[in-house]
């Protein structure tokens, strides 16, 4: 005979089987037309229906958001071409090519 296994492992593996058999029983009683479900089965069915409604709403929101987003075309500007062909970089490129201005300069930690 094999040595006895951990009882908590046996309980953990039995729990999904019990839950599945409970769902199957609820489905069988609701499909048979008797309409006699326990309070537990009605509560489980209500929670599952609520979760499905929420999932459906999220799917509809994601679909409408995807349709509302305009397609973005990435067309290079004249400044992009100037920056690519320039030998300048960093602060000089920002100030001269882009017309920017440095407001504050901070040293990176560990660098002087």
């Amino acid at each position: 005979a094999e040595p006895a296994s951990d009882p908590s492992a046996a309980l953990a593996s039995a729990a999904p089987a019990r839950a599945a058999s409970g769902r199957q029983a609820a489905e069988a009683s609701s499909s048979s037309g008797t309409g006699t479900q326990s309070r537990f089965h009605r509560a489980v069915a209500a929670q599952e229906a609520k979760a499905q409604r929420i999932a459906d709403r999220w799917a509809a929101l994601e679909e409408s958001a995807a349709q509302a987003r305009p397609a973005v075309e990435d067309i290079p500007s004249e400044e992009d071409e100037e920056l690519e062909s320039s030998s300048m970089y960093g602060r000089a490129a920002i100030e001269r090519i882009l017309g920017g201005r440095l407001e504050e300069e901070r040293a990176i930690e560990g660098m002087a």
Side-chain angles (χ1 to χ4, degrees):
E2 289 185 5
S5 63
D6 183 17
S8 62
L11 288 174
S13 65
R18 283 196 306 268
S21 66
R23 280 195 297 272
Q24 290 170 350
E27 290 170 3
S29 68
S30 65
S31 64
S32 67
T34 61
T36 56
Q37 290 182 334
S38 69
R39 246 193 289 173
F40 170 76
H41 291 113
R42 288 191 306 264
V44 168
Q47 286 292 75
E48 289 175 348
K50 182 179 179 181
Q52 186 61 48
R53 286 192 307 271
I54 291 170
D56 292 344
R57 272 191 243 142
W58 274 107
L61 284 172
E62 288 175 354
E63 184 178 322
S64 65
Q67 291 173 353
R69 277 186 227 120
V72 177
E73 291 185 41
D74 190 19
I75 301 171
S77 69
E78 292 175 20
E79 293 171 340
D80 292 338
E81 293 173 15
E82 285 180 46
L83 282 171
E84 284 181 3
S85 62
S86 172
S87 62
M88 285 188 277
Y89 59 92
R91 181 178 177 178
I94 291 172
E95 290 176 346
R96 291 191 183 105
I97 298 173
L98 300 176
R101 191 184 85 176
L102 179 66
E103 290 185 13
E104 182 180 352
E105 188 169 0
R106 296 182 184 176
I108 299 174
E109 289 183 33
M111 299 186 86

